[in-house]
Amino acid sequence: MSFTESFAHTAAAVVELGADAAALAALGDDDLVTAHALLTSHRQSVDLYAAWLSAEIAKRSSRDAGPSGLAQSRGFGSAESFLQSVAPVSRAEATQLIAAGTLMAATDTLWEGALSRALVSGALSVPAAEAIRRGLAAVAETSPASDLAAECERLISRVSATSLDELRREARTARDRLDEAGIARREKERRDNRYLKRWVRDDGMYQGAFLLDPEAGLHVFTALDAIMAPRRGVRFVDATAQAEAEGLIADPRSNDQLLADALVDIVRLAVDADPGTLFGARRPAVRVVVTEQTLAGAGGHGFLEGDAQPVSRESIDRFVCDVGMIGIKFDGRRQILDLGRTQRLFGQPQRLAISVRDGGCLFPYCTKPPSACEVHHIVKWKHGGRTDTRDGVLLCRHHHMLLHNNHWRILRRDSGRESQYWLRPPRSQDPARVPLALHSKSPLMRELARIE
């Protein structure tokens, strides 16, 4: 089936779904999901047409054309502005459409050709292609063509198994692999872009805005997340902690109000504390995870736990100097040595190890970081399950409850040098119960897998 035939087919199928919301509301669950998938396929085709048209408009509005160019002759300073006048798109969306259409005409390089073919075939949406393009374009002039093409193909293969936000992060990770020497420069640029602005409004309220680099941002967010943990549904085993959590849940203040008051309390504590005093039961932890090989060498990079952006060797050395290091040994399947069936709950060292391995909630498309997750026993304790790191995985509260209440299961399969986790849906979701592969959200684990 040609592209135009496919376009006509999906258009006709969409029309048959019904003419209004009432017709769609009458669809069964499976038909509703199928209808959405059909509409998504047709929308990708429409976006593809829009990208071709947008690129042609941009071509006819080039600087070389001057005042006689399409956009300027209609009174617009750029192709993007002209597109906004003829279509309900933002400037960012107009830029994205032009970039996608231009990309499909630019097959001079291996990686651009791969992106173009994936777009035309329907394997990539315009936003997904833009996510990959933006990640790789920054290093396209300095990286070997074969390495660029390999990273591009790998990212294209990940599209069906990941969200658009995660794809953007993976594209940036690919950029950093191709240009490790630039990690320190980009790290400095992010830090140089930090700011905190504050002002007093006309009504007397104090207002502000901030932008922080990943390390500083994680310090602030981790502290606030710890305060808000009960509202996120994180369970507490200690009776005293549970009582405090229940008090916070019953607090009549909104989440935003609680966060505002918490920030003020943190500032008050810091101002009143003696120099060097550590206050609070636990110091918010921001950790760098790095391989032993990197520590032993002169260069390399690591990752902030819970953040996909790499940090430079200089930052690694600073962290080691400040807080020391905790060694985590992985076996050939990238599993951590366990403590056996000695306790019901996973201890702090085990949780740290599992957090480094999983990088966040393992459920597909979930983006919750390790700090918002609980450790799930693959085999229930009452059924003989062991409190071993290989039998524990990170799940956010919502997906942890989904597993226990809706009969989903997580399985571990060992094959060769790799342990793989799989999610088996209940029969109500999939009568065949075909397992879905689960992938670590940790960029360090993905890097180790690629190296091996």
Side-chain angles (χ1 to χ4, degrees):
M1 186 181 295
S2 68
F3 175 79
T4 51
E5 290 172 336
S6 176
F7 184 92
H9 172 75
T10 55
V14 168
V15 171
E16 290 178 3
L17 292 175
D20 52 31
L24 298 178
L27 296 174
D29 289 352
D30 291 342
D31 289 337
L32 187 66
V33 174
T34 300
H36 198 283
L38 178 64
L39 183 63
T40 299
S41 177
H42 185 65
R43 183 177 177 180
Q44 283 191 209
S45 299
V46 172
D47 284 347
L48 195 61
Y49 263 123
W52 281 329
L53 291 170
S54 300
E56 184 61 28
I57 288 174
K59 181 180 178 181
R60 299 185 189 187
S61 305
S62 66
R63 287 180 178 274
D64 294 339
S68 63
L70 179 56
Q72 288 196 42
S73 67
R74 304 294 176 95
F76 294 92
S78 66
E80 290 82 0
S81 298
F82 177 57
L83 278 175
Q84 287 183 273
S85 73
V86 297
V89 295
S90 66
R91 187 172 184 84
E93 290 170 329
T95 302
Q96 190 176 95
L97 286 170
I98 292 173
T102 304
L103 178 67
M104 284 184 282
T107 56
D108 296 336
T109 64
L110 291 174
W111 75 278
E112 288 176 324
L115 269 185
S116 175
R117 289 190 297 274
L119 262 171
V120 174
S121 70
L124 278 183
S125 66
V126 168
E130 177 65 4
I132 297 174
R133 188 196 68 79
R134 286 178 64 88
L136 299 183
V139 295
E141 299 297 325
T142 57
S143 301
S146 58
D147 292 348
L148 266 171
E151 289 291 356
C152 184
E153 293 286 2
R154 186 189 63 79
L155 289 168
I156 291 172
S157 70
R158 292 280 295 139
V159 168
S160 62
T162 189
S163 66
L164 185 59
D165 289 338
E166 182 65 21
L167 183 66
R168 290 191 183 101
R169 287 190 285 269
E170 290 195 22
R172 291 195 297 268
T173 300
R175 171 204 64 189
D176 293 320
R177 276 199 296 268
L178 292 168
D179 181 29
E180 189 174 67
I183 289 176
R185 184 188 71 255
R186 288 186 287 272
E187 188 179 37
K188 182 179 183 302
E189 289 173 352
R190 288 192 292 267
R191 180 164 175 77
D192 289 344
N193 287 334
R194 73 192 185 280
Y195 65 76
L196 190 151
K197 300 177 181 179
R198 71 268 195 314
W199 59 93
V200 182
R201 302 192 323 183
D202 292 341
D203 61 0
M205 296 292 286
Y206 284 68
Q207 190 171 356
F210 66 83
L211 183 70
L212 299 175
D213 58 278
E215 182 181 334
L218 280 171
H219 272 291
V220 174
F221 277 34
T222 301
L224 296 176
D225 284 346
I227 293 168
M228 297 299 295
R231 288 282 180 100
R232 298 200 318 269
V234 177
R235 292 173 292 182
F236 296 87
V237 178
D238 180 80
T240 302
Q242 184 63 39
E244 293 175 353
E246 290 171 357
L248 184 61
I249 293 172
D251 195 302
R253 290 174 291 176
S254 68
N255 285 354
D256 290 344
Q257 290 171 331
L258 280 168
L259 283 172
D261 293 344
L263 181 60
V264 173
D265 288 341
I266 290 171
V267 173
R268 283 174 174 165
L269 281 169
V271 171
D272 293 340
D274 292 330
T277 299
L278 294 179
F279 45 84
R282 292 176 59 188
R283 179 182 178 184
V286 175
R287 303 183 181 93
V288 165
V289 290
V290 61
T291 65
E292 186 177 27
Q293 291 84 351
T294 297
L295 280 177
H301 62 274
F303 296 92
L304 291 171
E305 183 188 0
D307 190 273
Q309 298 178 93
V311 294
S312 63
R313 178 53 190 256
E314 291 77 10
S315 291
I316 294 171
D317 293 340
R318 174 168 53 82
F319 266 78
V320 172
C321 179
D322 179 32
V323 298
M325 59 183 178
I326 300 174
I328 303 174
K329 287 290 186 180
F330 291 87
D331 62 18
R333 296 190 175 95
R334 294 190 296 278
Q335 290 290 346
I336 310 99
L337 297 177
D338 62 72
L339 299 182
R341 189 178 163 85
T342 58
Q343 55 189 28
R344 166 68 179 85
L345 299 172
F346 288 92
Q348 190 61 26
Q350 288 178 304
R351 182 184 170 86
L352 169 60
I354 294 171
S355 296
V356 170
R357 183 196 66 201
D358 293 351
C361 177
L362 280 190
F363 212 89
Y365 302 105
C366 186
T367 59
K368 290 296 180 64
S371 61
C373 293
E374 303 170 346
V375 181
H376 166 68
H377 282 85
I378 291 178
V379 180
K380 294 181 180 179
W381 175 265
K382 64 182 181 181
H383 293 159
R386 296 164 60 87
T387 305
D388 298 347
T389 50
R390 63 178 183 169
D391 285 335
V393 297
L394 285 190
L395 293 174
C396 68
R397 172 70 164 159
H398 168 71
H399 287 124
H400 201 176
M401 292 183 67
L402 181 72
L403 246 72
H404 286 281
N405 297 338
N406 291 35
H407 309 295
W408 294 73
R409 282 197 63 193
I410 291 182
L411 312 172
R412 191 190 83 244
R413 296 176 180 172
D414 298 333
S415 60
R417 298 187 64 247
E418 184 177 4
S419 288
Q420 175 69 56
Y421 294 103
W422 298 80
L423 178 67
R424 174 177 286 171
R427 295 193 187 281
S428 60
Q429 296 292 322
D430 177 12
R433 303 196 72 189
V434 177
L436 308 171
L438 296 176
H439 302 282
S440 171
K441 306 297 174 64
S442 167
L444 182 69
M445 291 298 106
R446 290 199 295 264
E447 190 161 300
L448 285 175
R450 184 183 62 85
I451 293 172
E452 293 175 358

